[in-house]
Amino acid sequence: MSATASDPAGRFRIRWSARLRLTLLYGTLFLVSGATLLAVTYLLVVQSPASKGTKITTGNASRNPAVQEVTAQISYVADRQRQEAQRTLLTRSGIALGVMTGVSGGLGWLVAGRVLRPVRVMTERARRISAHNLHERLAMPGPADDELKNLGDTFDGLLARLDAAFDAQRRFVANASHELRTPLTLQRTVIEVALGKPDPDVKALRGVCERALSIGEDQERLIEALLTLASSQSGVFRTEPLDLAEVVTDVLDTLTPTQPEDVALEVKLDPAATEGNSSLVERLVTNLVGNAQRYTNPGGWIRVTTNLQGGVPTVRVVNSGPVVPRDAIPSLYQPFQRLGHRSARHDGHGLGLSIVAAVASAHRARIVTEQGPQGGLDVTVAFPRRKEGLFGVPVP
């Protein structure tokens, strides 16, 4: 770490590095403390009785002019010697202080370099880390209570989170690409098969068009789900006061035509006032109820409730169905993760619960997911109280 450098024009300039600043701080502190010690010592020497000289008495002989003259000369010489000794003491002490200040500056430079060596190591290693090698870590040695090691460990933790986020993003992009390519490939195959027939009739062409239209609708649902997931994770949306009971009522009115006749629906809606984006909260409830409909066995049941639990507005969706392993529950909130039960009424894209998690996170809501009493899932989403204010970033 050099303390000097040159700018593009070739002019000399000082590089105020941390090492140089620490060295100057050490040297300044030593100079100030040394000068203070020197001043106190000098004052003590000057004020001491020995420094003030001794009074020479000659008794009756002092009446003799010759004796008086000799006595005066001795006193004068003693005072000059005392003053010369004081000046010599001050000069030599000042020289010693200057020399030791220079020595302390050099020692401070070496000590500062040794203290800052872990910082240089962390800087060099951090420069080598990029998106292609996020798996590397600083791995700083040292005792657990060392501040620089704690800094390195904190940076390693940040790299680990970034590595996990990049991996999740790469998996998400790969899965999204696969999900989008599959219906396109199917749609193209259906059309190519129809065009490959020598004389297709109107009925066959109509069936192909209906099939292609169905595949297109599936693509639209997938794209809409991806857009909802992206908008939820961005955290930028409009908020307004809302009642979870009213939101659930609107959702159930929309999903009633798709409700299987062999599945019982139990609804108990009490007022639960909160604040948030009504469209996103509606999507959250829609995905929870839709997921319950998809994985509830014939003859099963679904319970949807809203209320205030300890003053906290909550919405809860419980359904019967296949038993979900407890250790598999967290993975269900990852994009493109499916239960894979054969009893599912139709295959989804695996984005339902990931959108639920994103919307809940954007609204600072807490999700509690447990195994249902008769299989299935028991999902409770607790929203903040209305008095806690707006969530996200309000759009003007």
Side-chain angles (χ1 to χ4, degrees):
M1 296 178 63
S2 176
T4 61
S6 299
D7 58 13
R11 293 173 296 184
F12 176 81
R13 63 183 179 86
I14 298 177
R15 182 170 175 265
W16 292 98
S17 61
R19 185 177 186 180
L20 177 60
R21 294 198 300 270
L22 286 175
T23 301
L24 293 178
L25 178 62
Y26 296 154
T28 303
L29 289 177
F30 181 85
L31 179 62
V32 171
S33 61
T36 303
L37 177 63
L38 175 60
V40 172
T41 303
Y42 182 76
L43 291 176
L44 292 177
V45 171
V46 171
Q47 297 299 327
S48 64
S51 299
K52 295 180 179 180
T54 56
K55 184 178 181 180
I56 301 176
T57 58
T58 57
N60 294 329
S62 60
R63 297 177 180 178
N64 189 333
V67 174
Q68 292 179 351
E69 182 179 356
V70 171
T71 301
Q73 291 178 354
I74 294 175
S75 299
Y76 174 77
V77 171
D79 290 339
R80 291 293 303 271
Q81 289 179 344
R82 183 171 60 255
Q83 295 174 0
E84 184 66 23
Q86 292 175 354
R87 285 195 298 268
T88 301
L89 173 64
L90 183 61
T91 302
R92 293 182 178 180
S93 298
I95 295 174
L97 177 61
V99 173
M100 290 307 301
T101 300
V103 172
S104 67
L107 293 176
W109 177 264
L110 296 177
V111 172
R114 185 172 183 84
V115 171
L116 294 175
R117 183 181 302 170
V119 177
R120 294 198 301 271
V121 172
M122 286 190 288
T123 302
E124 294 172 359
R125 293 180 182 177
R127 285 198 184 106
R128 295 195 300 265
I129 296 176
S130 64
H132 303 288
N133 57 346
L134 279 175
H135 61 279
E136 296 185 8
R137 299 291 181 267
L138 301 182
M140 295 302 300
D145 296 334
D146 184 71
E147 289 82 357
L148 294 178
K149 176 174 173 54
N150 290 335
L151 176 61
D153 293 342
T154 302
F155 193 80
D156 285 343
L158 174 62
L159 289 176
R161 293 190 294 273
L162 287 176
D163 192 16
F166 270 73
D167 287 341
Q169 185 181 28
R170 283 190 287 265
R171 289 195 302 268
F172 178 81
V173 171
N175 291 330
S177 301
H178 175 74
E179 293 288 342
L180 289 171
R181 184 174 58 184
T182 299
L184 289 174
T185 303
L186 180 60
Q187 192 175 45
R188 180 176 180 177
T189 302
V190 170
I191 296 175
E192 287 178 348
V193 169
L195 293 177
K197 295 181 180 181
D199 296 316
D201 54 10
V202 176
K203 183 178 180 181
L205 292 178
R206 182 179 180 85
V208 171
C209 291
E210 292 177 350
R211 179 63 173 161
L213 183 60
S214 176
I215 296 173
E217 292 175 351
D218 185 65
Q219 288 179 290
E220 290 180 1
R221 288 192 295 269
L222 175 59
I223 294 174
E224 182 182 0
L226 291 174
L227 291 175
T228 302
L229 181 61
S231 62
S232 301
Q233 292 176 337
S234 68
V236 181
F237 49 82
R238 192 184 304 275
T239 60
E240 58 188 357
L242 54 87
D243 190 344
L244 294 178
E246 296 178 358
V247 174
V248 173
T249 300
D250 294 339
V251 170
L252 294 180
D253 290 342
T254 303
L255 294 181
T256 297
T258 63
Q259 175 66 25
E261 297 181 358
D262 52 359
V263 174
L265 179 61
E266 303 176 14
V267 180
K268 185 177 185 301
L269 304 179
D270 295 331
T274 184
E275 289 187 10
N277 183 273
S278 58
S279 298
L280 292 179
V281 176
E282 183 175 340
R283 170 63 65 176
L284 179 146
V285 177
T286 300
N287 287 0
L288 285 179
V289 177
N291 188 76
Q293 290 179 344
R294 183 176 300 114
Y295 291 100
T296 300
N297 294 326
W301 50 266
I302 300 174
R303 297 194 189 106
V304 183
T305 59
T306 60
N307 54 23
L308 294 176
Q309 295 184 6
V312 178
T314 61
V315 56
R316 181 182 182 187
V317 178
V318 187
N319 69 290
S320 62
V323 177
V324 180
R326 190 180 301 275
D327 56 355
I329 291 178
S331 65
L332 298 179
Y333 290 95
Q334 299 300 320
F336 303 104
Q337 296 295 321
R338 301 177 179 87
L339 286 174
H341 292 301
R342 295 181 179 178
S343 59
R345 296 180 179 269
H346 59 274
D347 192 19
H349 297 289
L351 291 173
L353 290 183
S354 63
I355 292 176
V356 170
V359 173
S361 177
H363 287 76
R364 300 178 186 174
R366 183 171 57 93
I367 302 178
V368 178
T369 307
E370 300 176 350
Q371 292 175 315
Q374 298 180 8
L377 291 176
D378 182 348
V379 183
T380 301
V381 184
F383 287 82
R385 298 180 181 90
R386 176 176 293 180
K387 66 180 181 180
E388 293 187 5
L390 302 178
F391 316 115
V393 181
V395 178

